Amino acid sequence: MRKYLFWGMFFLLLTACGDSQQKVTQHPEELNANIKPASQSTRAHNKAVAKQLPFSDNLDFHLAKRGFIATIPDAQIKNAMGREVYGLAQLQFLEGASEDTVNPSLWRQAQLNALNNGLFEVVEGIYQVRSLDLANMTLIKGETGWIVVDPLTSKETAAAALALANRALGERPVSAVIFTHSHADHFAGVSGVVSMQQLAEGSVDIIAPDGFSEEAISENVRSGNVMQRRALYQFGDLLPSSPEGFVSSGLGNRVSDGEHGIATPTRLIPEKGAEMTIDGVDIVFMSTPGAEAPTEMVFFFPQFDALCMSEIANHTLHNLYTLRGAKTRDALAWSRYIERAMEKFGGRTQVVFSSHHWPTWGNREAMDYLAKQRDLYKYIHDQTLRLANHGHDMVEIAEQLQLPETLSNAWANRGYYGTINVGAKAVYNRYLGYFDGNPANLYPLPQEEAALRYVEYMGGGEKIIKRAREDYSQGNYRWVAMVLKHLVFAEPKNQEARYLLADAFEQLGYQAESGIWRNFYLSGARELRHGVELREEMRPPEEIVARVPLQLLFDAMAVRLNGEKAADADIRLNIEMTDNNNKYLVVVKNGVLHGYPDRHSEDPSASLALSSTDLRLMFSGLVGAPTMIKEGRLKVRGNPLALIQFGRLFDKFDRNFNLVTP
């Protein structure tokens, strides 16, 4: 289960369906569903990049290797069944020179991420395990044990990281765990460093920013199915590792594919910040909510003169809008948090480290790095709004916005994950929304209907393909993609159009500096050539479901409610939880679902009595109501047909819907 699947796990009862489109060959001699080499235009583009950027600056390669202690062969980590959940053997091709099929700047970032893996010393007493998952796990040597910061995405990778540190540095128990923020690659491996018994007993402190639990579960609950589908593209999960496929996500390597968990914090850091001593280590926490994550914090270690910037300072431009889909982030707040950290801790800081990538040592070097990260986000914010106030729309701004060389030539500011283009659109959308003020864009036709008309206006499929091939030969891949999108949506069985569009996507992917842009383009090409790749139905661990706040569960159910089916329904379910005497009222009326805590109806359609855990399991679809009734776990009073009717009102989401075809 990948990071993005974690977020979608609450959308259950998903049906798997294949690509029903039949392949129609129009000109077999011209069709080729195979991966293509870099075109002449792509080779020229990538050679130009190699000349434009300061590739003679090798400092990052020294920093990424600094303090190396030990690693795991091929970074390979397996689960208890012997299945690989993480490994870098397939990325060893990165040891060579950049290939024509990869933007040389992205190749450089991929090398830094993949080829520098294992355990590293930051300063004496602070260590990081890097590139054994998407994120870093940091270990601080306390008086009695390890303080673990961000225990990765999977139980298996976190356990392997801890074992590597114990072998190299001496066996120590885990005395505390810190979650820097509410994204799964920074907490979901917690059961690999803390036992289930310890979690149940609360014997190991779990420290997190205020609001962590709700945000960790809720960020994508409501849009989980579509988000996880798009995230397959973003992280290149469908792509083989090769110079023509996956090379990097920019933020790191692949996401581990192991067992996920979560822990309830025992100590929360309030928005005003806090100072505390944990296992003899003094830590000053500064809260940074609403920038890179809804709830996040950075913190300073006075004994080590070390500053942890979590994920708000990285060796890449981060996402202001993430392509998998999420709420747009606040570029101005992001910049101000970095400024505040510099003001608060900058005078003493001798090393800056983060939840991704490698540290920066030296006060002057660290402050220069943070200043450029700070100004990166503020420049995108301010200049986007400047151009918007001149009347430019979102696309126009994104097309013309460029960083000054002082920012763009800093490797840590390059767009390996986020991009200037998408960042500008994110700022525009945050302030002004998607509408550009042109009435022609106020009420456009749906994509499929518009595609039919576009194709008709352009003289039909044959003429479009002929012109598209001419543009393709001239390297106009963006335009080819825009035009052929309409033809593919108008004629989804037109294989010639599909394959040519795939070829255009592929060349755009080869040129992309952003790892996730590359992954999206190449994943789109793969879908056009081979159809949608089926994924098995996913069922979340009961442990996770049992922790879902009930209101979030009902919010997710409300999204699955089919409004047309429920338009005439009038159902009131009284729910009594037998383990804690809490009660809920669930109402379906006017085509919407409401969940009301601490309330019952005087005239319910039915009344249910069950434990709070079983309530979550039943409404999440893990255990059916008939099974619970048979086992005595659910008692129903009133009209049992009301419960049956209720269950029939919800949609089952297709996990395998098309993205680049109708």
Side-chain angles (χ1 to χ4, degrees):
M1 188 191 303
R2 302 284 186 188
K3 169 185 177 181
Y4 33 86
L5 298 185
F6 177 92
W7 297 122
M9 66 174 65
F10 306 107
F11 282 81
L12 305 174
L13 301 176
L14 306 174
T15 57
C17 68
D19 179 16
S20 60
Q21 298 162 355
Q22 297 179 358
K23 297 181 179 180
V24 177
T25 301
Q26 297 179 4
H27 302 288
E29 69 281 0
E30 297 181 2
L31 301 183
N32 189 346
N34 297 325
I35 292 173
K36 306 298 192 303
S39 67
Q40 182 177 349
S41 295
T42 293
R43 292 195 299 272
H45 174 276
N46 288 343
K47 286 180 180 178
V49 170
K51 294 179 180 179
Q52 291 167 1
L53 295 176
F55 280 90
S56 60
D57 177 5
N58 290 319
L59 177 61
D60 283 336
F61 287 92
H62 296 293
L63 297 181
K65 296 178 186 297
R66 179 170 168 172
F68 174 75
I69 297 172
T71 192
I72 298 170
D74 292 329
Q76 186 182 59
I77 299 168
K78 297 182 179 181
N79 65 9
M81 304 299 293
R83 179 179 63 82
E84 182 179 285
V85 300
Y86 189 82
L88 298 178
Q90 293 181 327
L91 288 173
Q92 292 308 304
F93 62 82
L94 290 168
E95 293 179 350
S98 178
E99 300 275 358
D100 291 337
T101 52
V102 184
N103 183 297
S105 181
L106 179 60
W107 184 278
R108 177 186 184 276
Q109 182 79 350
Q111 288 180 316
L112 287 162
N113 283 330
L115 302 183
N116 299 286
N117 55 78
L119 177 67
F120 298 80
E121 182 183 73
V122 179
V123 296
E124 186 177 355
I126 298 181
Y127 307 88
Q128 282 192 312
V129 178
R130 301 200 286 268
S131 290
L132 294 187
D133 206 326
L134 180 68
N136 300 335
M137 187 169 94
T138 303
L139 300 105
I140 296 94
K141 191 174 183 180
E143 290 182 352
T144 65
W146 293 119
I147 302 169
V148 175
V149 181
D150 288 352
L152 306 180
T153 317
S154 298
K155 173 182 178 179
E156 296 86 349
T157 52
L162 180 61
L164 176 62
N166 281 333
R167 285 196 303 271
L169 303 170
E171 191 84 21
R172 297 172 66 84
V174 172
S175 55
V177 176
I178 298 174
F179 298 149
T180 59
H181 61 290
S182 52
H183 292 156
D185 54 325
H186 302 274
F187 69 80
V190 63
S191 60
V193 299
V194 181
S195 70
M196 297 305 297
Q197 181 178 349
Q198 289 173 314
L199 290 174
E201 296 171 349
S203 58
V204 175
D205 266 336
I206 309 292
I207 300 139
D210 193 23
F212 168 84
S213 293
E214 181 172 351
E215 294 295 346
I217 294 175
S218 70
E219 181 188 14
N220 302 320
V221 164
R222 298 171 184 87
S223 55
N225 191 61
V226 60
M227 191 172 293
Q228 64 174 288
R229 178 72 178 101
R230 287 165 55 160
L232 285 172
Y233 273 43
Q234 174 168 320
F235 291 103
D237 193 57
L238 304 174
L239 302 173
S241 297
S242 75
E244 297 76 37
F246 176 87
V247 297
S248 179
S249 68
L251 196 63
N253 302 307
R254 290 195 185 272
V255 187
S256 64
D257 186 17
E259 181 180 334
H260 298 282
I262 194 170
T264 301
T266 61
R267 304 173 76 175
L268 292 171
I269 304 302
E271 189 165 338
K272 65 180 181 180
E275 297 183 21
M276 62 177 62
T277 300
I278 303 168
D279 194 16
V281 177
D282 297 331
I283 308 178
V284 183
F285 292 94
M286 188 186 94
S287 185
T288 61
E292 190 273 331
T295 176
E296 191 162 1
M297 59 189 183
V298 302
F299 36 95
F300 183 69
F301 298 91
Q303 288 137 294
F304 302 103
D305 291 335
L307 175 59
C308 175
M309 288 299 288
S310 301
E311 202 169 326
I312 71 167
N314 307 271
H315 285 275
T316 179
L317 166 60
H318 209 293
N319 288 316
L320 293 175
Y321 166 75
T322 178
L323 301 184
R324 63 182 168 86
K327 295 177 182 177
T328 301
R329 295 160 182 175
D330 189 339
L332 185 58
W334 199 323
S335 175
R336 286 175 172 169
Y337 287 141
I338 298 175
E339 174 75 21
R340 191 182 307 167
M342 294 173 67
E343 292 175 351
K344 189 175 180 67
F345 308 119
R348 290 193 56 185
T349 296
Q350 294 301 318
V351 61
V352 170
F353 64 93
S354 302
S355 298
H356 293 274
H357 304 133
W358 49 94
T360 300
W361 286 269
N363 180 266
R364 181 180 62 82
E365 294 82 357
M367 291 306 102
D368 180 66
Y369 158 66
L370 290 179
K372 285 176 177 159
Q373 285 272 292
R374 172 200 65 195
D375 293 346
L376 169 67
Y377 297 107
K378 195 167 192 303
Y379 188 92
I380 295 172
H381 173 273
D382 295 351
Q383 297 307 306
T384 295
L385 293 182
R386 178 182 69 85
L387 292 169
N389 279 304
H390 277 299
H392 295 288
D393 66 28
M394 181 172 64
V395 175
E396 291 168 343
I397 295 169
E399 191 70 15
Q400 65 181 290
L401 189 62
Q402 293 184 348
L403 296 175
E405 285 191 8
T406 53
L407 294 179
S408 66
N409 281 349
W411 287 111
N413 284 2
R414 301 300 302 179
Y416 301 119
Y417 196 52
T419 64
I420 304 296
N421 187 285
V422 172
K425 292 171 181 173
V427 172
Y428 185 99
N429 190 63
R430 182 176 180 86
Y431 284 90
L432 298 168
Y434 74 93
F435 180 52
D436 61 3
N438 187 330
N441 298 321
L442 185 63
Y443 190 44
L445 291 172
Q447 189 169 202
E448 292 181 45
E449 182 179 349
L452 291 169
R453 296 176 183 269
Y454 274 121
V455 170
E456 181 184 2
Y457 266 60
M458 289 187 285
E462 289 188 9
K463 289 186 178 180
I464 292 172
I465 289 177
K466 181 180 178 181
R467 293 288 301 275
R469 287 196 180 281
E470 293 172 359
D471 275 306
Y472 181 91
S473 68
Q474 297 170 20
N476 298 323
Y477 305 125
R478 291 173 67 189
W479 176 244
V480 171
M482 290 179 67
V483 171
L484 288 182
K485 177 191 75 170
H486 297 304
L487 181 53
V488 168
F489 267 76
E491 301 177 10
K493 296 180 181 180
N494 187 328
Q495 288 297 76
E496 188 174 5
R498 288 169 68 115
Y499 288 168
L500 185 54
L501 178 56
D503 292 347
F505 281 167
E506 191 167 59
Q507 297 303 320
L508 290 168
Y510 292 166
Q511 295 180 15
E513 184 177 37
S514 166
I516 58 177
W517 275 38
R518 175 185 175 92
N519 292 340
F520 254 89
Y521 280 129
L522 298 186
S523 296
R526 188 179 180 94
E527 182 176 322
L528 285 164
R529 289 167 174 161
H530 307 295
V532 174
E533 299 183 40
L534 301 184
R535 295 170 293 150
E536 295 179 359
E537 180 178 344
M538 177 191 64
R539 299 181 70 80
E542 292 189 9
E543 171 203 351
I544 300 295
V545 174
R547 295 175 183 267
V548 179
L550 282 175
Q551 193 57 54
L552 291 179
L553 178 64
F554 291 126
D555 286 349
M557 293 182 67
V559 172
R560 288 199 295 119
L561 185 76
N562 186 309
E564 295 179 1
K565 291 182 180 178
D568 298 324
D570 186 357
I571 300 174
R572 298 167 305 285
L573 300 178
N574 283 347
I575 299 173
E576 180 180 340
M577 285 165 267
T578 55
D579 56 333
N580 55 24
N581 294 321
N582 290 337
K583 60 184 181 181
Y584 243 92
L585 171 64
V586 178
V587 176
V588 175
K589 192 171 184 178
N590 299 322
V592 297
L593 181 148
H594 296 282
Y596 299 108
D598 303 317
R599 192 186 301 184
H600 271 179
S601 169
E602 294 183 358
D603 183 27
S605 307
S607 297
L608 315 180
L610 71 172
S611 72
S612 59
T613 298
D614 281 344
L615 172 63
R616 291 173 170 87
L617 295 176
M618 181 178 72
F619 279 175
S620 296
L622 289 181
V623 183
T627 298
M628 286 193 177
I629 292 173
K630 183 178 180 180
E631 295 177 354
R633 297 158 62 182
L634 168 64
K635 295 182 180 179
V636 181
R637 299 191 307 273
N639 181 9
L641 295 179
L643 186 58
I644 297 174
Q645 180 190 4
F646 178 80
R648 291 174 175 171
L649 296 177
F650 296 90
D651 281 351
K652 296 181 180 180
F653 294 134
D654 176 10
R655 298 184 64 214
N656 301 296
F657 60 82
N658 300 354
L659 283 177
V660 294
T661 55

